[in-house]
PDB file of all heavy atoms in Angstrom:
ATOM      1  N   ALA A  58      30.271   6.150   4.465  1.00 99.00           N
ATOM      2  CA  ALA A  58      31.060   4.934   4.225  1.00 99.00           C
ATOM      3  C   ALA A  58      31.793   5.071   2.896  1.00 99.00           C
ATOM      4  O   ALA A  58      31.303   5.732   1.972  1.00 99.00           O
ATOM      5  CB  ALA A  58      30.159   3.708   4.205  1.00 99.00           C
ATOM      6  N   GLN A  61      30.251   4.514  -0.600  1.00 99.00           N
ATOM      7  CA  GLN A  61      29.074   5.356  -0.822  1.00 99.00           C
ATOM      8  C   GLN A  61      29.444   6.803  -1.161  1.00 99.00           C
ATOM      9  O   GLN A  61      28.612   7.528  -1.705  1.00 99.00           O
ATOM     10  CB  GLN A  61      28.169   5.313   0.407  1.00 99.00           C
ATOM     11  CG  GLN A  61      27.573   3.929   0.627  1.00 99.00           C
ATOM     12  CD  GLN A  61      26.651   3.862   1.828  1.00 99.00           C
ATOM     13  OE1 GLN A  61      27.104   3.647   2.939  1.00 99.00           O
ATOM     14  NE2 GLN A  61      25.358   4.042   1.617  1.00 99.00           N
ATOM     15  N   HIS A 162      33.071  -1.704   5.718  1.00 99.00           N
ATOM     16  CA  HIS A 162      31.698  -1.283   5.393  1.00 99.00           C
ATOM     17  C   HIS A 162      31.397  -1.815   3.990  1.00 99.00           C
ATOM     18  O   HIS A 162      31.110  -1.059   3.078  1.00 99.00           O
ATOM     19  CB  HIS A 162      31.548   0.233   5.509  1.00 99.00           C
ATOM     20  CG  HIS A 162      30.136   0.701   5.733  1.00 99.00           C
ATOM     21  ND1 HIS A 162      29.767   1.516   6.781  1.00 99.00           N
ATOM     22  CD2 HIS A 162      28.989   0.464   5.039  1.00 99.00           C
ATOM     23  CE1 HIS A 162      28.466   1.769   6.715  1.00 99.00           C
ATOM     24  NE2 HIS A 162      27.971   1.148   5.662  1.00 99.00           N
ATOM     25  N   TRP A 163      31.592  -3.119   3.838  1.00 98.00           N
ATOM     26  CA  TRP A 163      31.057  -3.916   2.742  1.00 98.00           C
ATOM     27  C   TRP A 163      31.879  -3.962   1.451  1.00 98.00           C
ATOM     28  O   TRP A 163      31.545  -4.717   0.538  1.00 98.00           O
ATOM     29  CB  TRP A 163      29.626  -3.512   2.385  1.00 98.00           C
ATOM     30  CG  TRP A 163      28.693  -3.473   3.555  1.00 98.00           C
ATOM     31  CD1 TRP A 163      28.947  -3.892   4.836  1.00 98.00           C
ATOM     32  CD2 TRP A 163      27.342  -2.999   3.574  1.00 98.00           C
ATOM     33  NE1 TRP A 163      27.840  -3.709   5.630  1.00 98.00           N
ATOM     34  CE2 TRP A 163      26.844  -3.159   4.889  1.00 98.00           C
ATOM     35  CE3 TRP A 163      26.502  -2.452   2.597  1.00 98.00           C
ATOM     36  CZ2 TRP A 163      25.543  -2.789   5.246  1.00 98.00           C
ATOM     37  CZ3 TRP A 163      25.224  -2.085   2.959  1.00 98.00           C
ATOM     38  CH2 TRP A 163      24.742  -2.259   4.268  1.00 98.00           C
ATOM     39  N   ASN A 207      30.797  -3.233   9.886  1.00 98.00           N
ATOM     40  CA  ASN A 207      29.489  -2.593   9.846  1.00 98.00           C
ATOM     41  C   ASN A 207      28.417  -3.595   9.423  1.00 98.00           C
ATOM     42  O   ASN A 207      28.494  -4.157   8.325  1.00 98.00           O
ATOM     43  CB  ASN A 207      29.502  -1.445   8.834  1.00 98.00           C
ATOM     44  CG  ASN A 207      28.151  -0.738   8.766  1.00 98.00           C
ATOM     45  OD1 ASN A 207      27.778  -0.026   9.694  1.00 98.00           O
ATOM     46  ND2 ASN A 207      27.411  -0.973   7.688  1.00 98.00           N
ATOM     47  N   GLU A 208      27.458  -3.815  10.294  1.00 98.00           N
ATOM     48  CA  GLU A 208      26.226  -4.546   9.974  1.00 98.00           C
ATOM     49  C   GLU A 208      26.431  -5.942   9.387  1.00 98.00           C
ATOM     50  O   GLU A 208      26.204  -6.171   8.197  1.00 98.00           O
ATOM     51  CB  GLU A 208      25.343  -3.712   9.027  1.00 98.00           C
ATOM     52  CG  GLU A 208      24.869  -2.415   9.648  1.00 98.00           C
ATOM     53  CD  GLU A 208      23.732  -1.770   8.877  1.00 98.00           C
ATOM     54  OE1 GLU A 208      23.353  -2.268   7.797  1.00 98.00           O
ATOM     55  OE2 GLU A 208      23.212  -0.753   9.373  1.00 98.00           O
ATOM     56  N   ALA A 211      23.375  -7.093   7.732  1.00 98.00           N
ATOM     57  CA  ALA A 211      23.033  -6.620   6.387  1.00 98.00           C
ATOM     58  C   ALA A 211      23.936  -7.274   5.347  1.00 98.00           C
ATOM     59  O   ALA A 211      23.460  -7.871   4.387  1.00 98.00           O
ATOM     60  CB  ALA A 211      23.136  -5.108   6.302  1.00 98.00           C
ATOM     61  N   ASN A 266      23.656  -3.818  13.069  1.00 98.00           N
ATOM     62  CA  ASN A 266      22.226  -3.476  12.926  1.00 98.00           C
ATOM     63  C   ASN A 266      21.380  -4.583  13.552  1.00 98.00           C
ATOM     64  O   ASN A 266      20.762  -5.385  12.870  1.00 98.00           O
ATOM     65  CB  ASN A 266      21.839  -3.279  11.454  1.00 98.00           C
ATOM     66  CG  ASN A 266      22.043  -4.536  10.634  1.00 98.00           C
ATOM     67  OD1 ASN A 266      22.976  -5.298  10.883  1.00 98.00           O
ATOM     68  ND2 ASN A 266      21.179  -4.779   9.664  1.00 98.00           N
ATOM     69  N   ASN A 336      23.482   0.483  14.741  1.00 98.00           N
ATOM     70  CA  ASN A 336      22.811   1.294  13.726  1.00 98.00           C
ATOM     71  C   ASN A 336      21.314   1.066  13.909  1.00 98.00           C
ATOM     72  O   ASN A 336      20.855  -0.074  13.817  1.00 98.00           O
ATOM     73  CB  ASN A 336      23.222   0.853  12.323  1.00 98.00           C
ATOM     74  CG  ASN A 336      24.713   1.024  12.073  1.00 98.00           C
ATOM     75  OD1 ASN A 336      25.435   1.594  12.886  1.00 98.00           O
ATOM     76  ND2 ASN A 336      25.189   0.532  10.938  1.00 98.00           N
ATOM     77  N   TYR A 338      17.462   2.156  12.842  1.00 98.00           N
ATOM     78  CA  TYR A 338      16.551   2.874  11.956  1.00 98.00           C
ATOM     79  C   TYR A 338      15.096   2.529  12.228  1.00 98.00           C
ATOM     80  O   TYR A 338      14.217   3.354  12.100  1.00 98.00           O
ATOM     81  CB  TYR A 338      16.857   2.511  10.487  1.00 98.00           C
ATOM     82  CG  TYR A 338      18.169   3.056   9.983  1.00 98.00           C
ATOM     83  CD1 TYR A 338      19.339   2.308  10.087  1.00 98.00           C
ATOM     84  CD2 TYR A 338      18.241   4.315   9.397  1.00 98.00           C
ATOM     85  CE1 TYR A 338      20.550   2.803   9.625  1.00 98.00           C
ATOM     86  CE2 TYR A 338      19.441   4.823   8.931  1.00 98.00           C
ATOM     87  CZ  TYR A 338      20.598   4.065   9.046  1.00 98.00           C
ATOM     88  OH  TYR A 338      21.784   4.563   8.601  1.00 98.00           O
ATOM     89  N   TRP A 368      11.925  -0.521   3.765  1.00 97.00           N
ATOM     90  CA  TRP A 368      12.286  -1.247   4.995  1.00 97.00           C
ATOM     91  C   TRP A 368      12.290  -0.339   6.212  1.00 97.00           C
ATOM     92  O   TRP A 368      12.339  -0.810   7.342  1.00 97.00           O
ATOM     93  CB  TRP A 368      13.670  -1.889   4.840  1.00 97.00           C
ATOM     94  CG  TRP A 368      14.751  -0.922   4.428  1.00 97.00           C
ATOM     95  CD1 TRP A 368      15.146  -0.630   3.155  1.00 97.00           C
ATOM     96  CD2 TRP A 368      15.568  -0.093   5.286  1.00 97.00           C
ATOM     97  NE1 TRP A 368      16.150   0.319   3.162  1.00 97.00           N
ATOM     98  CE2 TRP A 368      16.425   0.658   4.449  1.00 97.00           C
ATOM     99  CE3 TRP A 368      15.660   0.077   6.672  1.00 97.00           C
ATOM    100  CZ2 TRP A 368      17.366   1.583   4.953  1.00 97.00           C
ATOM    101  CZ3 TRP A 368      16.591   0.991   7.166  1.00 97.00           C
ATOM    102  CH2 TRP A 368      17.437   1.723   6.303  1.00 97.00           C
ATOM    103  N   GLU A 396      24.612   4.743  13.589  1.00 99.00           N
ATOM    104  CA  GLU A 396      23.837   5.294  12.465  1.00 99.00           C
ATOM    105  C   GLU A 396      22.404   5.480  12.912  1.00 99.00           C
ATOM    106  O   GLU A 396      21.854   4.644  13.628  1.00 99.00           O
ATOM    107  CB  GLU A 396      23.814   4.352  11.243  1.00 99.00           C
ATOM    108  CG  GLU A 396      25.120   4.243  10.510  1.00 99.00           C
ATOM    109  CD  GLU A 396      25.031   3.320   9.288  1.00 99.00           C
ATOM    110  OE1 GLU A 396      23.927   3.127   8.736  1.00 99.00           O
ATOM    111  OE2 GLU A 396      26.086   2.781   8.902  1.00 99.00           O
ATOM    112  N   TRP A 443      23.205   9.397  10.190  1.00 99.00           N
ATOM    113  CA  TRP A 443      23.370   8.945   8.805  1.00 99.00           C
ATOM    114  C   TRP A 443      22.410   9.727   7.944  1.00 99.00           C
ATOM    115  O   TRP A 443      21.222   9.563   8.101  1.00 99.00           O
ATOM    116  CB  TRP A 443      23.099   7.441   8.655  1.00 99.00           C
ATOM    117  CG  TRP A 443      23.419   7.013   7.259  1.00 99.00           C
ATOM    118  CD1 TRP A 443      22.597   7.087   6.159  1.00 99.00           C
ATOM    119  CD2 TRP A 443      24.675   6.511   6.797  1.00 99.00           C
ATOM    120  NE1 TRP A 443      23.272   6.661   5.042  1.00 99.00           N
ATOM    121  CE2 TRP A 443      24.544   6.303   5.405  1.00 99.00           C
ATOM    122  CE3 TRP A 443      25.905   6.236   7.410  1.00 99.00           C
ATOM    123  CZ2 TRP A 443      25.602   5.827   4.618  1.00 99.00           C
ATOM    124  CZ3 TRP A 443      26.934   5.750   6.634  1.00 99.00           C
ATOM    125  CH2 TRP A 443      26.771   5.548   5.252  1.00 99.00           C
ATOM    126  N   GLU A 450      23.280   4.925  -2.313  1.00 98.00           N
ATOM    127  CA  GLU A 450      22.552   4.095  -1.340  1.00 98.00           C
ATOM    128  C   GLU A 450      22.429   2.657  -1.876  1.00 98.00           C
ATOM    129  O   GLU A 450      21.364   2.141  -2.128  1.00 98.00           O
ATOM    130  CB  GLU A 450      21.202   4.752  -1.029  1.00 98.00           C
ATOM    131  CG  GLU A 450      20.268   4.013  -0.089  1.00 98.00           C
ATOM    132  CD  GLU A 450      20.856   3.530   1.245  1.00 98.00           C
ATOM    133  OE1 GLU A 450      21.911   4.023   1.668  1.00 98.00           O
ATOM    134  OE2 GLU A 450      20.246   2.623   1.815  1.00 98.00           O
ATOM    135  N   TRP A 451      23.579   2.026  -2.089  1.00 98.00           N
ATOM    136  CA  TRP A 451      23.654   0.604  -2.444  1.00 98.00           C
ATOM    137  C   TRP A 451      22.738   0.269  -3.623  1.00 98.00           C
ATOM    138  O   TRP A 451      22.776   0.951  -4.635  1.00 98.00           O
ATOM    139  CB  TRP A 451      23.390  -0.246  -1.187  1.00 98.00           C
ATOM    140  CG  TRP A 451      24.253   0.175  -0.024  1.00 98.00           C
ATOM    141  CD1 TRP A 451      23.842   0.751   1.145  1.00 98.00           C
ATOM    142  CD2 TRP A 451      25.702   0.106   0.069  1.00 98.00           C
ATOM    143  NE1 TRP A 451      24.931   1.021   1.951  1.00 98.00           N
ATOM    144  CE2 TRP A 451      26.066   0.636   1.323  1.00 98.00           C
ATOM    145  CE3 TRP A 451      26.732  -0.361  -0.778  1.00 98.00           C
ATOM    146  CZ2 TRP A 451      27.392   0.719   1.752  1.00 98.00           C
ATOM    147  CZ3 TRP A 451      28.049  -0.281  -0.350  1.00 98.00           C
ATOM    148  CH2 TRP A 451      28.365   0.250   0.896  1.00 98.00           C
ATOM    149  N   PHE A 459      19.615  10.139   1.977  1.00 98.00           N
ATOM    150  CA  PHE A 459      19.636  10.100   3.447  1.00 98.00           C
ATOM    151  C   PHE A 459      20.380  11.300   4.048  1.00 98.00           C
ATOM    152  O   PHE A 459      20.522  11.387   5.265  1.00 98.00           O
ATOM    153  CB  PHE A 459      20.335   8.821   3.945  1.00 98.00           C
ATOM    154  CG  PHE A 459      19.446   7.619   4.033  1.00 98.00           C
ATOM    155  CD1 PHE A 459      19.134   6.871   2.902  1.00 98.00           C
ATOM    156  CD2 PHE A 459      18.912   7.206   5.245  1.00 98.00           C
ATOM    157  CE1 PHE A 459      18.320   5.746   2.982  1.00 98.00           C
ATOM    158  CE2 PHE A 459      18.104   6.087   5.340  1.00 98.00           C
ATOM    159  CZ  PHE A 459      17.797   5.354   4.215  1.00 98.00           C
TER     160      PHE A 459
HETATM  161  C1  LIG B 501      22.688   1.088   6.653  1.00 93.09           C
HETATM  162  C2  LIG B 501      24.069   1.097   6.040  1.00 93.09           C
HETATM  163  C3  LIG B 501      24.468   2.432   5.494  1.00 93.09           C
HETATM  164  C4  LIG B 501      23.314   3.129   4.789  1.00 93.09           C
HETATM  165  C5  LIG B 501      22.089   3.141   5.658  1.00 93.09           C
HETATM  166  C6  LIG B 501      20.902   3.855   5.053  1.00 93.09           C
HETATM  167  O1  LIG B 501      22.202  -0.209   6.658  1.00 93.09           O
HETATM  168  O2  LIG B 501      25.033   0.722   6.997  1.00 93.09           O
HETATM  169  O3  LIG B 501      25.569   2.240   4.653  1.00 93.09           O
HETATM  170  O4  LIG B 501      23.082   2.565   3.563  1.00 93.09           O
HETATM  171  O5  LIG B 501      21.723   1.837   5.987  1.00 93.09           O
END
Side-chain angles (χ1 to χ4, degrees):
Q61 294 181 274
H162 203 126
W163 308 352
N207 180 72
E208 297 195 355
N266 62 325
N336 298 353
Y338 290 91
W368 54 268
E396 289 181 24
W443 186 275
E450 177 50 18
W451 309 113
F459 275 80

